[in-house]
Each structure stands twice: as structure tokens, then as C-alpha cells.
Amino acid sequence: MADYTEMWRNLGLNLENHAGLLAVLNEGYKNIYLSQKGRPRGMEYFDFVISEVHGLRIKEITEAKQAGRKVVGTFCVYVPEEIVLAADGVCIGLCAGAEVGSDEAEKFIPRNTCALIKAFMGFKLAGLCPYIELTDLIVGETTCDGKKKAYEIFQNITGKVYVMEIPNMKNDESKRLWHGEVVKFKETVEAITKKTITVENLKRGASLANGKRRALQRLSRLRAADPAPISGLDALLINQVSFYDDPVRFTQMTDKLCAELEERIKQGFGVASKGARRVLISGSPMAIPNWKLHSIIEGAGAVVVGEESCVGERNFRDLLDENFSTVDEGLGKMAERYLEIDCACFTPNDERLENIKSMTQKLHADGVIHYALQFCTPYMMEAYKVEKALGRIPFMRLETDYSMEDVGQLKTRVEAFLEMVK
Ligand code: BJ8
């Protein structure tokens, strides 16, 4: 990796802590990712992206800013990326998946807050996130209570938080409210970028976002093959990278990888043996570098074939209908598309149960592991309904955080579950 010290210093990062973070990240990546056998050649690109996640990508975004583009950070798949792309902005996911800066975060938020919230606060407070420093606007949303209240504090800390109101139900009043929020967001993005959203650039934004979604859908379909052509760890990584990378390049590289996987399937080549136990993960999102559960499951000889999660299927399941001829019509379709998302913050949320059943079938999963971050009440609560909806399909619920303290215990539970799966 080139020397980016000056760039990080200019962004105000804590250089000492940051060097420590990169060392741990590199070591973890080597042990978890590079030690896997039979990886597709196409993963070399994603390995490169990770090796440069705080380097080259940050340099690219810095250059984009110098060229006048604005950077919008988000924490939720409800934020319409198409609008940011239409205004030639850079859209970046800011969720964090490592236990970092918890002590600093706990000065502002309670100890019993979910790890994802604690991590994004911690990364900022410990001076470790170049992405947050590059943002011109940080978009929050009224989803779970933890995030909603954390954004108030994050606004005090960063001064650039804008919150979209996301309803809790999907009735007509909620639809109207949400449509209004999408329109307001478009106006906000126009104001910060000083660009007018036109039907042409909105279509371009839609096509870029849909391109990524199509590539991820293709990858998801290929994971139905037995033997699995790609590990769950690698597929999870691609989903995580989709929130950071340049959308055009990401789509090209994911499609290229998918072509390789199609060839593997034709030849009957897989990363696990034919008949290996297949697990679907469902629940809270796994932000980068949260690879804990996948590595435990695949370390036990099973293969993860899908993620019913926002870092996964929930992010790319629905395309935006690009068939619109005015900005208003486009925003209307966008509001509809986003309100289809089946987050556990909604009530009722029965679509999610149907989607989990359908994924289990399509991906030929032998069992479902419901993953909830500790203190993530919406997903912890919904696990009960998921279990009932799955009927006789083997099911296990896990609650964990980003620490490594419970790895031994999780391994024991996962192994016991896999024993009963087949
Ligand atoms: S659409 S899942 S990205 S809100 S894990 S912070 S829910 S306590 S992230 Fe999410 Fe949007 Fe929903 Fe998806 Fe709260 Fe749970 Fe923490 Fe969570």
C-alpha cells in the first residue's frame, strides 16, 4: 500500500490509532479470507479493494470532492441512492462492523446500545473513519429508537446530519408521508450539490443503482448451486463492498466474477463439497468488517448461501422501475420501491416472513440462523415470528455483538445446530 499518511493527517484522523486499526484489519483479513481454499480469481479485485479501503478509495473520493462533487454518507438502505447519483454525488455507507472506540462512544450513548450504533459513533470519536470526515451530508433515518436518538448526538458532534422520517407502517398515510420525505431529500441534495435533478440525470442515477442491484441479484442466484461456487464469506464481502465502491466499477467487477462462477457451476466446481450443509442467515445487517458468524459457520464445514439482511438481499431485491418520464413520476416510483423494503422496524412486517421462506427454498438452504445484534430489539423480537413461519425448517437464533469473547460459545452452538440440520 502506498503511503497515505499525509492524506489521513489532513482528514484529522488519529494516526496512531488508525495504524493499529489497519494492522488488525489486515491480520484478520489474512486469517479469515486469504486462508480460504478454492476462491474464484475474481475475488482478487475485492481483496484489492479491502487492502485499499482507507487508501486508494479515500484518495478517489478526495479527488472527486476537489472536482466539485459532494459526498453523502448513509446508514440505511432506505436512503434513495439514485438521488445522490443523479446529482453526481458520491454515496457511501457509513455503518461499521468492528468494536472500535466503544469507550468514547459510551460517553455519549448507553452501554447497552447495539454494536452497529456504538461502532459508527466510536469510529468518529476515535478519529478512525476517513469516510465520515469526507462527507458533506450524513443522512440518518427514523428507524429503530437507538439510531434515531444517536443521530441527534451525532448531529451535535459532526454538524452535518439530516434525518429522513421513515414511517413505521405501510398504510396510505404512511405512503404519503414517505413520498414527501423522498421529495424533501431530493431538494436537500439539490441544495448541497447545487445541481438540479432532471429526468435525465435521475434516470442515470436509477440505471447506476439498478446496475449494482442486478449484479448482486445475479450473484445471489448463483449461490443456489450445489456445490456452492463461492463461499458465504466472499459473497458477504462483495455485498459489503457495494456500499463503498464506485458503482460502475463495482458492477463490472461483480459481473465478471459472476461469469466465472457460471463457468464453475457448469464444471461442477465448488468451494465446499456437493451436499455440504447450507445455511441462510437472516436478521441484523453485517457491516464491514463483521465476518464473525460466517467464518464460524464455514469453519465448521457448512456453507452460507444467502443473507436475508440489509447487507444482502434486502438491499438489492427490488429494482427501481426506470420507466418514468418526469422527475415527479420517478420520485413516486422511488418512494414505492423503497417502501417495499421489509425492515423489522415496520409493523406489521409479514412480507419479511414470506421473503425468508422464499429465499430458503430458492437457495436450497437446509437451515436458517437468525442473527441479531445484542440490543437490536426489532430483529430480536421478530425472530419469534420467523421461527414460527419456517415451521419444520431447522432454525436457530443467535444474539451477539462485535467482540470476540463469545466465539467459543457460538462455535459450540453452531456445530450443534449443524449436527441437527442433516
Ligand atoms: S432497513 S435493518 S439498514 S434500519 S442493528 S441500528 S435496527 S438496533 S441497522 Fe437497519 Fe435500515 Fe432497517 Fe436495514 Fe437499530 Fe438493530 Fe442496531 Fe440496526
Side-chain angles (χ1 to χ4, degrees):
M1 187 154 133
D3 184 0
Y4 295 109
T5 313
E6 206 44 41
M7 178 176 78
W8 294 328
R9 185 176 289 118
N10 290 339
L11 287 170
L13 299 192
N14 178 326
L15 295 180
E16 198 184 323
N17 290 355
H18 187 248
L21 171 75
L22 290 190
V24 172
L25 184 67
N26 288 341
E27 191 55 25
Y29 196 75
K30 204 165 80 194
N31 294 338
I32 296 173
Y33 273 89
L34 303 182
S35 62
Q36 296 178 93
K37 302 265 180 304
R39 296 176 81 209
R41 295 259 326 259
M43 284 310 296
E44 281 171 14
Y45 169 71
F46 297 93
D47 291 341
F48 175 71
V49 170
I50 294 302
S51 70
E52 291 285 344
V53 72
H54 279 197
L56 201 56
R57 185 65 184 131
I58 297 300
K59 188 164 170 266
E60 280 180 353
I61 299 174
T62 306
E63 286 165 1
K65 271 176 84 87
Q66 283 160 356
R69 295 174 70 193
K70 297 293 177 188
V71 181
V72 177
T74 64
F75 294 100
C76 180
V77 297
Y78 265 95
V79 179
E81 185 181 1
E82 293 85 347
I83 293 179
V84 179
L85 296 171
D88 200 26
V90 179
C91 194
I92 297 289
L94 294 177
C95 290
E99 194 179 35
V100 163
S102 301
D103 292 346
E104 282 86 347
E106 283 173 18
K107 290 178 192 153
F108 293 83
I109 56 176
R111 178 173 268 263
N112 54 355
T113 302
C114 100
L116 190 146
I117 297 171
K118 229 186 246 183
F120 78 69
M121 297 275 288
F123 264 91
K124 165 65 190 160
L125 293 164
L128 291 170
C129 183
Y131 291 96
I132 291 178
E133 303 309 328
L134 283 168
T135 51
D136 297 289
L137 184 75
I138 296 176
V139 188
E141 9 60 47
T142 57
T143 46
C144 68
D145 288 349
K147 270 174 148 185
K148 206 157 45 191
K149 300 309 287 181
Y151 294 137
E152 292 176 22
I153 302 167
F154 215 49
Q155 164 64 2
N156 292 346
I157 297 168
T158 65
K160 44 189 176 182
V161 175
Y162 169 86
V163 176
M164 294 186 82
E165 181 168 358
I166 297 187
N168 287 168
M169 298 179 94
K170 295 184 180 176
N171 53 32
D172 288 345
E173 290 77 16
S174 306
K175 285 179 186 163
R176 273 195 290 279
L177 180 147
W178 174 238
H179 183 255
E181 285 297 301
V182 171
V183 173
K184 258 176 22 197
F185 181 59
K186 171 223 161 224
E187 290 163 359
T188 304
V189 170
E190 284 182 325
I192 64 146
T193 59
K194 303 204 171 34
K195 294 227 164 70
T196 305
I197 306 277
T198 63
V199 73
E200 290 76 26
N201 59 30
L202 196 56
K203 274 181 183 282
R204 183 173 167 275
S207 146
L208 288 173
N210 274 346
K212 273 205 296 187
R213 291 177 190 132
R214 280 196 192 91
L216 289 167
Q217 287 174 351
R218 182 176 174 194
L219 173 66
S220 170
R221 283 194 298 272
L222 296 171
R223 294 170 76 189
D226 185 17
I230 184 166
S231 66
L233 269 168
D234 279 338
L236 172 66
L237 186 78
I238 297 168
N239 277 283
Q240 291 172 333
V241 166
S242 72
F243 291 91
Y244 294 82
D245 203 0
D246 171 78
V248 174
R249 183 174 57 206
F250 173 84
T251 304
Q252 278 168 359
M253 299 315 281
T254 304
D255 272 330
K256 190 168 162 209
L257 174 97
C258 287
E260 184 186 349
L261 300 186
E262 279 156 7
E263 205 43 51
R264 282 186 160 203
I265 293 170
K266 259 190 231 154
Q267 292 167 7
F269 182 82
V271 287
S273 53
K274 194 170 166 60
R277 286 152 301 178
R278 304 166 65 84
V279 175
L280 175 74
I281 306 277
S282 169
S284 307
M286 293 173 175
I288 201 165
N290 178 3
W291 305 310
K292 183 169 151 181
L293 185 56
H294 281 57
S295 72
I296 291 173
I297 295 171
E298 300 199 325
V303 60
V304 177
V305 293
E307 293 78 26
E308 188 279 322
S309 156
C310 287
V311 183
E313 204 85 1
R314 202 172 298 127
N315 179 37
F316 57 75
R317 182 181 293 125
D318 303 309
L319 297 177
L320 173 66
D321 179 0
E322 293 176 46
N323 192 14
F324 53 84
S325 45
T326 64
V327 171
D328 282 351
E329 198 189 348
L331 295 179
K333 285 183 188 280
M334 206 176 284
E336 274 171 36
R337 184 262 167 206
Y338 278 89
L339 213 54
E340 290 289 312
I341 298 172
D342 55 350
C343 174
C345 294
F346 277 83
T347 183
N349 190 34
D350 293 339
E351 315 85 280
R352 177 166 173 239
L353 308 178
E354 290 311 311
N355 284 329
I356 297 172
K357 282 197 279 184
S358 150
M359 280 184 78
T360 309
Q361 258 173 14
K362 282 190 199 146
L363 297 167
H364 313 295
D366 301 306
V368 175
I369 296 185
H370 194 279
Y371 166 85
L373 281 173
Q374 264 162 17
F375 313 116
C376 173
T377 312
Y379 284 92
M380 276 162 50
M381 288 275 196
E382 218 162 80
Y384 165 80
K385 291 189 87 174
V386 175
E387 181 170 15
K388 280 196 87 175
L390 286 172
R392 298 167 70 92
I393 298 167
F395 176 90
M396 176 172 71
R397 67 173 86 176
L398 291 178
E399 281 152 29
T400 181
D401 56 15
Y402 293 165
S403 80
M404 290 299 145
E405 279 163 22
D406 60 351
V407 166
Q409 196 197 350
L410 289 175
K411 269 188 184 159
T412 310
R413 290 195 58 197
V414 165
E415 281 163 10
F417 176 70
L418 293 174
E419 280 294 309
M420 111 191 177
V421 159
K422 258 190 181 172

